[in-house]
Amino acid sequence: MSSNDDGREPDLEATVGHKAERKHRARSTRDPVLYWVGMFGLVGWAVAIPTVLGVFVGRWLDRQFTGQASWTITMLLLGVALGCLNAWYWVRQHMRHE
């Protein structure tokens, strides 16, 4: 390799190699219990937030439009469905990057 104007040798190859090795070591030595606890938390929040938002929207719709259909139950089910799709998406994305 050629030297810089100030006389220092660029050591880019060694730096990149060191960082890649450190990243590989960090991925391969992670604690599986902590990994799955984190994944469980991600999936839980991914389902819980749309579900709770669906309940709040459904309650608001029930107050605005009285009728025989329960908007709360409808929006609850819609929130759970969207939450499950959201969790599936995040787990799928995470597994792709393994």
Side-chain angles (χ1 to χ4, degrees):
M1 289 189 179
S2 65
S3 61
N4 290 339
D5 291 336
D6 60 357
R8 292 182 300 146
E9 288 284 326
D11 204 14
L12 179 63
E13 192 173 331
T15 302
V16 170
H18 174 69
K19 287 184 179 185
E21 176 61 31
R22 188 172 59 184
K23 184 177 179 181
H24 175 70
R25 197 171 42 238
R27 282 189 172 183
S28 64
T29 59
R30 69 175 168 225
D31 185 9
V33 173
L34 292 178
Y35 171 77
W36 287 109
V37 167
M39 184 62 70
F40 183 74
L42 173 75
V43 169
W45 282 109
V47 174
I49 291 173
T51 302
V52 171
L53 289 175
V55 169
F56 282 124
V57 170
R59 299 266 307 165
W60 180 80
L61 286 171
D62 276 340
R63 287 189 208 118
Q64 300 299 318
F65 307 105
T66 57
Q68 296 212 350
S70 172
W71 285 105
T72 303
I73 294 174
T74 304
M75 297 307 282
L76 168 73
L77 294 175
L78 183 61
V80 168
L82 287 174
C84 288
L85 283 173
N86 188 25
W88 171 77
Y89 171 79
W90 281 107
V91 170
R92 185 170 167 225
Q93 290 296 324
H94 186 70
M95 292 301 181
R96 276 187 182 169
H97 296 291
E98 286 283 315

